[in-house]
Every structure is written in structure tokens, then in C-alpha cells.
């Protein structure tokens, strides 16, 4: 009888505490639906709709701009947005590119100038009608597009006076070859121009997704599947 009475009292106390619970103080977060993307260089080996071999999820330099005849060059990509719970629909994808120029300062020290200045890159192209969840969308990036985006960029190569990157008397750029490969300069080797591709996803309900967890989404450790993700790709001139 005493055991039954004790259990009754404990149950009553638990119900009382539960009734008074303030949900605003609950330390557990409320998880909302989200979307991510998986972007690759087009033309690498496939097995059906999936990659046939493992690859780094922030793949670098799988394709490159050529040294010459850049007015007719391009790099092809594929991207697909993913909603794991099918709760959101992406209705626009913006593709951005950061341009990084390597040079040597007057003291011979190697430097890298991020021409985007904001570290986010410049808008290069937009996919206005993306295909359905997990379906591929094709796009290309050309040297002409990058030149048009960055043609007014300036850098103070001598630490004092800014000059136009594409009209620098100290390092003239050839016609139809605006973007530089690696070269040997007066103060030693200079790395090639490099480019980092990123993306922003817009959903039909007005949400914008432009940042993802670098330890999970951006470096997806799972086996290759239709749920894979990444956050950037990079390539160079060579």
C-alpha cells in the first residue's frame, strides 16, 4: 500500500512539473528544413547519375582555363540542389566566382589579392528555373564572364598606388588571354590566377541559403549518393 501511495505521489509531482514547464527555456534547438547543393566539374566519370569514384568534396582543378585563346574557352559544371526532407523547393541558383591574383610585392614577397574585395565573389551566372530536387542543372563559366565581372578591379601592387589589374604596365596581359597561368617573374615564381566557385540557393517561400556548416555540409564525409553536398570548387589557368 505504501509503494502504491509513493508511486501516486511521484506521478502527481511529475505531472505538476510537466504542466508548469516553460518551453521557451528548452535548451534543445528547433530544427527547420534546409537545402544544400552539390556542384561538380562536368565531364568527369559517372556511373549512371552518380560519381563512379570518390573525390574530394571541395574538388580543386579538375578543369582549367587554357593559357591562350581564352575568348573561346569555358569550364562546364553541373549542380543540383537537395532537400533531404522534401520540405523546400529551390527556384533560383546564383553562381559566384572569387578571382585570386598572385603577385610579388616590391620586396619579392609572394602575395595574393582577392579581387572580389568582400571575400564572397561576384555574380557570374544565374539558374532561374532549376530542375527538381536532386536533378542536375548545367552551366558554364568563361574567361569573358570573369573579365567582365572584374575588369574594374584594382590592386596596390607597390603598397601605395592602385592600378587596374587588367591594365597594369608592369605585367601586361595578352589579347584574348586576360587570365594568367603560373609564370617566372623577376622576384621568383608567381602562381597562376585562381578562381573559387560558390553558390546561393533561393527557395519558393523566400528563404536564402548562402552559408553551410564547414565540418558537415562543406566536407560531406558520406559515400557518394544523391544526398551529397559541397560548398565550393576551385580551378586555375594552365
Amino acid at each position: 500500500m505504501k509503494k502504491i501511495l509513493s508511486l501516486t505521489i511521484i506521478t502527481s509531482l511529475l505531472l505538476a512539473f510537466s504542466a508548469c514547464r516553460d518551453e521557451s527555456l528548452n535548451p534543445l534547438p528547433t530544427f527547420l528544413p534546409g537545402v544544400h547543393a552539390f556542384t561538380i566539374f562536368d565531364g568527369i566519370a559517372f556511373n549512371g547519375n552518380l560519381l563512379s569514384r570518390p573525390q574530394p568534396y571541395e574538388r580543386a582543378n579538375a578543369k582549367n582555363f587554357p593559357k591562350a585563346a581564352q575568348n573561346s574557352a569555358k569550364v562546364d559544371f553541373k549542380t543540383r540542389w537537395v532537400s533531404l526532407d522534401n520540405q523546400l523547393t529551390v527556384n533560383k541558383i546564383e553562381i559566384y566566382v572569387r578571382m585570386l591574383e598572385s603577385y610579388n610585392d616590391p620586396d619579392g614577397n609572394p602575395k595574393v589579392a582577392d579581387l572580389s574585395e568582400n571575400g564572397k565573389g561576384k555574380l557570374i551566372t544565374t539558374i532561374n528555373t532549376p530542375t527538381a530536387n536532386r536533378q542536375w542543372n548545367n552551366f558554364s563559366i568563361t574567361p569573358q564572364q570573369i573579365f567582365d565581372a572584374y575588369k574594374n578591379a584594382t590592386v596596390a601592387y607597390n603598397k601605395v598606388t592602385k592600378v587596374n589589374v587588367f591594365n597594369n604596365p608592369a605585367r601586361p596581359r595578352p589579347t584574348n588571354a586576360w587570365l594568367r597561368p603560373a609564370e617566372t617573374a623577376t622576384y621568383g615564381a608567381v602562381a597562376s590566377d585562381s578562381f573559387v566557385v560558390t553558390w546561393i540557393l533561393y527557395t519558393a517561400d523566400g528563404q536564402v541559403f548562402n552559408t553551410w556548416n564547414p565540418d558537415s555540409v562543406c566536407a560531406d564525409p558520406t559515400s557518394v549518393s544523391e544526398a551529397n553536398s559541397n560548398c565550393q570548387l576551385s580551378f586555375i589557368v594552365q
Side-chain angles (χ1 to χ4, degrees), residues 164-224:
N164 184 278
V165 169
F166 295 98
N167 192 25
N168 179 7
R171 293 181 72 198
R173 292 174 182 255
T175 302
N176 296 334
W178 312 283
L179 311 175
R180 292 185 177 281
E183 61 183 20
T184 299
T186 303
Y187 294 105
V190 179
S192 65
D193 290 341
S194 60
F195 313 94
V196 181
V197 183
T198 58
W199 38 89
I200 296 179
L201 308 180
Y202 295 80
T203 59
D205 64 352
Q207 296 188 71
V208 180
F209 293 84
N210 57 14
T211 304
W212 294 270
N213 190 315
D215 297 321
S216 57
V217 173
C218 295
D220 189 345
T222 60
S223 300
V224 175

Side-chain angles (χ1 to χ4, degrees), residues 40-55:
I40 62 170
F41 292 95
D42 193 8
I44 60 176
F46 276 85
N47 177 15
N49 199 37
L50 303 179
L51 295 171
S52 63
R53 54 187 171 81
Q55 68 166 16

Side-chain angles (χ1 to χ4, degrees), residues 11 45 57-58 62 69 80 84-85 132 137 151 153 159 178 185 199 217 219 221:
T11 302
Y57 292 97
E58 291 183 334
R80 61 186 178 202
L84 294 174
D85 56 10
N137 300 267
K151 62 185 177 182
K159 304 181 183 180
W178 312 283
W199 38 89
V217 173

